[in-house]
């Protein structure tokens, strides 16, 4: 069973439909006990880091998430669901995350340019991913494949060895990570058409 964590922050149904399109059942759940029983876990996230973390804590998901990660079960973080895995975020202050991956969540600097054109923050739309390492969930994805982003903040891992892909948006930033049983993306696989569906299919087919 694939459990998609429902803590009030995320495009849950679109992620669920993505798995259904590639032939896998996924359950949207607000019950921490279901997460503890799941074979694979997905943590989506949309909105402010602070609010997402508060909702996770209030719904009782923090300990189950840490437990299933420690047990080595496949875990997929999406967008803010990736950022929450890190030590802290500077969004609206300084807020602690789950601390599973050492590093920080930072805002894109103002005044970034692509040639002569000033880039808007948030980054919203299609951009390319460049591989540093290739996790099993990214098997069959071409280098420089296009995926869909919506974000104003990016992750900066303490250890560059966890970076799976980078993307250029006025600067090179980490657009996905891979650490042991964790794969997490700043982009939205569920909005990234065939590339994203391939990632969801590969993740769903992974073994512990």
């Amino acid at each position: 069973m694939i459990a998609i964590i429902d803590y009030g922050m995320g495009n849950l149904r679109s992620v669920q439909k993505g798995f259904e399109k590639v032939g896998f059942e996924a359950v949207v759940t607000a019950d921490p006990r279901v997460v503890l029983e799941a074979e694979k876990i997905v943590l989506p996230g949309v909105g402010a880091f602070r609010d997402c973390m508060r909702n996770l804590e209030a719904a009782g998901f923090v300990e189950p998430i840490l437990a299933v990660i420690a047990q080595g079960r496949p875990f997929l973080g999406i967008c803010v669901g990736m950022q929450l895995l890190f030590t802290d975020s500077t969004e609206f202050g300084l807020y602690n995350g789950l601390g599973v991956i050492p590093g920080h969540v930072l805002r894109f600097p103002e005044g970034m340019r692509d040639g002569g054109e000033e880039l808007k923050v948030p980054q919203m739309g299609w951009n390319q991913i460049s591989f540093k390492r290739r996790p099993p969930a990214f098997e069959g994805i071409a280098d420089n494949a296009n995926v869909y982003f919506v974000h104003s903040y990016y992750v900066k891992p303490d250890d560059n060895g966890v970076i799976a892909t980078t993307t250029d948006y006025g600067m090179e930033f980490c657009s996905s990570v891979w650490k042991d049983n964790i794969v997490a993306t700043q982009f939205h696989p569920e909005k990234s058409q065939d590339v994203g569906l391939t990632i969801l299919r590969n993740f769903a087919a992974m073994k512990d």
Side-chain angles (χ1 to χ4, degrees), residues 98-118:
L98 295 167
V100 176
I101 301 175
H104 311 282
V105 182
L106 307 172
R107 195 179 195 278
F108 280 127
E110 296 294 337
M112 295 188 303
R113 292 187 174 274
D114 181 7
E117 180 183 356
E118 185 167 341

Side-chain angles (χ1 to χ4, degrees), residues 7 43-49 52 78-85 186:
Y7 61 112
L43 179 63
V46 172
F49 182 102
C52 288
I78 297 173
C79 196
V80 182
M82 166 170 146
Q83 297 177 4
L84 292 169
L85 295 168
Q186 183 60 65

